[in-house]
Amino acid sequence: MNHINTATAVAAAKPRENDEAVRRVAASWKPFPCLLTRRELQALIAEQLG
């Protein structure tokens, strides 16, 4: 019987372009704060969603 690895099946269904690299995130990576208040963020999201 043939068993196909799930990652292999997905990669076969959607092959990457030649210039697209696999990027792994370091375990110590943390995002930088955007320095906006919660109210400002909510206003931006509300504006984008309409």
Side-chain angles (χ1 to χ4, degrees), residues 36-47:
L36 294 175
T37 64
R38 182 181 295 268
R39 182 172 285 151
E40 291 170 330
L41 285 173
Q42 289 174 340
L44 286 172
I45 293 169
E47 180 182 327

Side-chain angles (χ1 to χ4, degrees), residues 1-41:
M1 297 181 76
N2 292 337
H3 295 296
I4 298 175
N5 185 342
T6 304
T8 305
V10 172
K14 186 180 177 191
R16 286 186 296 239
E17 297 295 328
N18 292 338
D19 59 344
E20 185 179 345
V22 175
R23 294 183 182 166
R24 297 186 186 263
V25 179
S28 62
W29 180 85
K30 293 183 181 175
F32 292 105
C34 65
L35 303 177
L36 294 175
T37 64
R38 182 181 295 268
R39 182 172 285 151
E40 291 170 330
L41 285 173

